[in-house]
């Protein structure tokens, strides 16, 4: 289990409790890297590890600045000897069957990668199920991840390949902010089968410090538009497409999208916008935001 922590004092103990209370799991080791938190996270982790040997706390010499970069450090570090690997955020709550369900579905479907729906919940008591879109399209990984990265579970074989790639392509991923998006890019490049579980197996906490969160409401849309306008999203798309090529992706339809509108010497063109609008796995509101951004020349 890989858990990236930063200023997580308020919720991280509850998350760790839910992980270590998983059913039907013989051994669970959690590798957590505290990204130089400014609150009491390190003390919480120290005290927890004194009671639970299975919690392995990595020392951090500097702050990476992003959860994804913190995860890259974890991916480089963890030993490649476990049957399955999973990502975890510091502030969620896992249902008792999360890991067992993932492993059983991976085995039963012959898949290497897994993600599931989540139950988002807010401090005021509101809840909402965020579903998975199981439809995969040739170039979908250029534009989006498979879903919430905190639900991902991998077989050993896939994780070892992911780890090797992160270690050997440090310069290429240095500006790519999402470890979960990278995992999905590589799965598509390598032809790895992905299982999308429509059943929620974790509670996805929503609060002011979420890096992305459930993305509901006009405030969330305004924040996304602000980031898109800065050129950030266009840059991330370009990096994702180039990482797909670096990983050996060769699906003809994906290469066509890359050649027409995503190469370094190409502009983000109408063909990419048409792809986003008509074929993307993203929900309609997200697609419309991106199309609007194109027509006002933000991407």
């Amino acid at each position: 289990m890989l858990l990236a922590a930063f200023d997580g004092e308020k919720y991280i103990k509850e998350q760790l409790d839910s992980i270590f209370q998983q059913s039907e799991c013989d051994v669970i080791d959690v590798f957590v890297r505290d990204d130089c938190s400014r609150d009491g996270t390190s003390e919480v982790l120290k005290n927890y590890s004194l009671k639970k040997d299975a919690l392995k706390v990595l020392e951090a010499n500097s702050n990476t600045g992003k959860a994804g970069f913190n995860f890259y450090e974890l991916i480089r570090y963890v030993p490649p000897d476990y049957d399955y690997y999973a990502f975890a955020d510091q502030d969620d709550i896992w249902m008792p069957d999360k890991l067992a369900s993932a492993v059983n579905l991976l085995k039963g479907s012959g898949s290497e990668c897994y993600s599931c729906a989540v139950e988002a919940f807010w401090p005021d008591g509101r809840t909402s199920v965020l579903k998975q879109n199981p439809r995969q399209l040739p170039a979908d990984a250029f534009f989006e991840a498979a879903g919430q990265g905190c639900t991902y579970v991998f077989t050993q074989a896939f994780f070892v390949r992911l780890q090797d790639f992160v270690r050997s392509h440090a310069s290429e991923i240095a500006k790519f902010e999402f470890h979960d998006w990278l995992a999905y890019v590589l799965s598509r490049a390598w032809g790895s089968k992905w299982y999308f579980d429509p059943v929620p197996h974790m509670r996805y906490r929503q609060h002011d410090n979420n890096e992305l969160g459930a993305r509901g409401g006009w405030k969330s849309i305004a924040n996304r538009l602000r980031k898109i306008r800065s050129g950030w999203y266009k840059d991330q798309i370009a990096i994702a497409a180039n990482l797909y090529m670096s990983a050996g992706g060769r699906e003809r339809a994906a290469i066509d999208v890359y050649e027409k509108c995503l190469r370094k010497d190409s502009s983000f063109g109408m063909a990419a916008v048409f792809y986003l609008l008509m074929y993307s796995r993203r929900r309609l509101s997200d697609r419309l935001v991106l199309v609007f951004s194109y027509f006002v020349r933000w991407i």
Side-chain angles (χ1 to χ4, degrees), residues 226-236 298-299:
R226 195 175 300 116
K227 292 196 78 172
I228 292 169
R229 188 177 186 180
S230 73
W232 167 84
Y233 183 60
K234 180 180 178 180
D235 291 342
Q236 296 298 292
W298 292 349
I299 56 176

Side-chain angles (χ1 to χ4, degrees), residues 97-284:
D97 67 341
K98 183 187 182 300
L99 286 180
S101 296
V103 169
N104 289 335
L105 289 167
L106 284 168
K107 287 179 178 178
S109 64
S111 301
E112 292 185 85
C113 311
Y114 165 97
S115 58
C116 69
V118 298
E119 181 189 63
F121 69 103
W122 285 261
D124 61 7
R126 286 180 297 130
T127 63
S128 177
V129 173
L130 305 183
K131 298 178 181 179
Q132 293 265 286
N133 183 352
R135 182 178 65 166
Q136 290 184 293
L137 297 152
D140 61 356
F142 295 170
F143 304 99
E144 59 204 317
Q148 282 75 25
C150 49
T151 71
Y152 289 11
V153 182
F154 309 110
T155 62
Q156 180 191 49
F158 180 87
F159 181 82
V160 169
R161 292 186 76 183
L162 169 64
Q163 184 176 65
D164 289 344
F165 190 91
V166 169
R167 287 173 174 172
S168 60
H169 292 76
S171 61
E172 290 182 72
I173 65 173
K175 293 185 178 180
F176 196 53
E177 296 183 11
F178 298 102
H179 62 293
D180 49 351
W181 192 354
L182 174 67
Y184 190 57
V185 168
L186 297 180
S187 76
R188 303 296 280 138
W190 297 334
S192 303
K193 189 175 179 181
W194 197 290
Y195 191 94
F196 296 88
D197 186 354
V199 179
H201 294 286
M202 60 166 281
R203 304 195 71 214
Y204 187 45
R205 191 189 303 271
Q206 302 300 299
H207 53 80
D208 290 340
N209 295 325
N210 283 114
E211 190 160 353
L212 285 179
R215 300 180 297 175
W218 290 107
K219 182 179 178 181
S220 177
I221 292 174
N223 288 335
R224 275 180 285 155
L225 285 171
R226 195 175 300 116
K227 292 196 78 172
I228 292 169
R229 188 177 186 180
S230 73
W232 167 84
Y233 183 60
K234 180 180 178 180
D235 291 342
Q236 296 298 292
I237 290 172
I239 297 171
N242 286 306
L243 286 168
Y244 175 88
M245 301 302 292
S246 293
R250 291 294 179 267
E251 189 168 356
R252 184 67 257 169
I255 293 174
D256 284 345
V257 174
Y258 174 82
E259 294 286 345
K260 289 175 181 176
C261 48
L262 297 177
R263 287 186 313 175
K264 288 182 179 178
D265 56 350
S266 300
S267 61
F268 191 101
M270 193 61 199
V273 173
F274 179 79
Y275 187 96
L276 278 169
L277 182 61
M278 299 301 295
Y279 303 113
S280 173
R281 294 174 49 255
R282 289 177 177 271
R283 58 186 179 181
L284 181 60

Side-chain angles (χ1 to χ4, degrees), residues 36-153:
C36 299
S37 292
R38 301 160 298 185
D39 63 1
T41 301
S42 62
E43 192 67 22
V44 172
L45 293 173
K46 178 182 177 182
N47 292 335
Y48 204 108
S49 66
L50 291 174
K51 301 173 185 176
K52 195 80 174 178
D53 291 340
L55 180 64
K56 322 289 184 182
V57 182
L58 280 62
E59 296 292 334
N61 297 319
S62 61
N63 175 264
T64 64
K66 291 286 182 182
F69 297 148
N70 196 6
F71 269 107
Y72 289 153
E73 294 300 315
L74 280 164
I75 291 168
R76 291 186 181 100
Y77 174 85
V78 299
D81 344 303
Y82 296 90
D83 294 332
Y84 297 93
Y85 291 80
F87 294 150
D89 286 350
Q90 64 185 4
D91 46 11
D92 302 320
I93 302 172
W94 285 17
M95 298 175 189
D97 67 341
K98 183 187 182 300
L99 286 180
S101 296
V103 169
N104 289 335
L105 289 167
L106 284 168
K107 287 179 178 178
S109 64
S111 301
E112 292 185 85
C113 311
Y114 165 97
S115 58
C116 69
V118 298
E119 181 189 63
F121 69 103
W122 285 261
D124 61 7
R126 286 180 297 130
T127 63
S128 177
V129 173
L130 305 183
K131 298 178 181 179
Q132 293 265 286
N133 183 352
R135 182 178 65 166
Q136 290 184 293
L137 297 152
D140 61 356
F142 295 170
F143 304 99
E144 59 204 317
Q148 282 75 25
C150 49
T151 71
Y152 289 11
V153 182

